Amino acid sequence: MPPRSVARLELPGSLLEPGEPKREVFVAAGADTRVVHCFLEDPELACAPDAWTAHATAVEGGYRVDVHASSFTRDLALLADRLAPDAETDEMLVTLLAGDPLVPGPHHGVRVGAEPRPGCHGAGGHRRGHTAGSA
């Protein structure tokens, strides 16, 4: 489709009426775009407590953070500047389905030009996390 255009599609009612709204999302995908619609607000979703894992590895010019979603993960945000003041991340607020790689590619890139702050879990750290709506 050309930029700034719209296409209307008739969808079957079974796609629009979830059996378990706390556990289901609607996904619409195109060539370069994907939209995930939740049927309920974030606090009402039945999200897994350990929906993702992240592991930071030192690489030339900074760090690479590998994130793997084992369950639905909504709006993952890598707060790179908590690791080092000049750190930047390639993407923010990324929504992942179980098993999804981050787009583009399987890694969430971080560029750090300074050493991490003392006490940060960035260099070689491994973290588990939960999504919004989980306890």
Side-chain angles (χ1 to χ4, degrees), residues 2-135:
R4 301 179 195 268
S5 61
V6 174
R8 292 185 180 262
L9 304 172
E10 292 292 323
L11 300 175
S14 61
L15 292 177
L16 304 175
E17 299 172 14
E20 295 185 60
K22 288 184 173 195
R23 300 184 184 282
E24 296 180 29
V25 295
F26 178 81
V27 180
D32 298 329
T33 301
R34 180 173 75 179
V35 175
V36 178
H37 171 75
C38 296
F39 294 100
L40 298 173
E41 296 295 322
D42 289 352
E44 299 175 61
L45 298 175
C47 295
D50 290 330
W52 56 268
T53 58
H55 183 79
T57 306
V59 296
E60 185 177 332
Y63 293 88
R64 184 185 76 218
V65 177
D66 298 316
V67 177
H68 173 74
S70 57
S71 185
F72 176 66
T73 302
R74 181 171 171 104
D75 293 341
L76 176 71
L78 180 59
L79 305 176
D81 60 339
R82 302 274 315 258
L83 178 65
D86 64 342
E88 298 176 357
T89 185
D90 295 336
E91 298 179 66
M92 289 291 279
L93 302 179
V94 178
T95 296
L96 302 170
L97 303 176
D100 267 355
L102 290 171
V103 178
H107 304 296
H108 199 71
V110 179
R111 293 176 299 278
V112 180
E115 288 301 309
R117 293 181 177 132
C120 283
H121 299 282
H126 186 82
R127 305 296 259 172
R128 297 187 70 78
H130 62 275
T131 60
S134 63

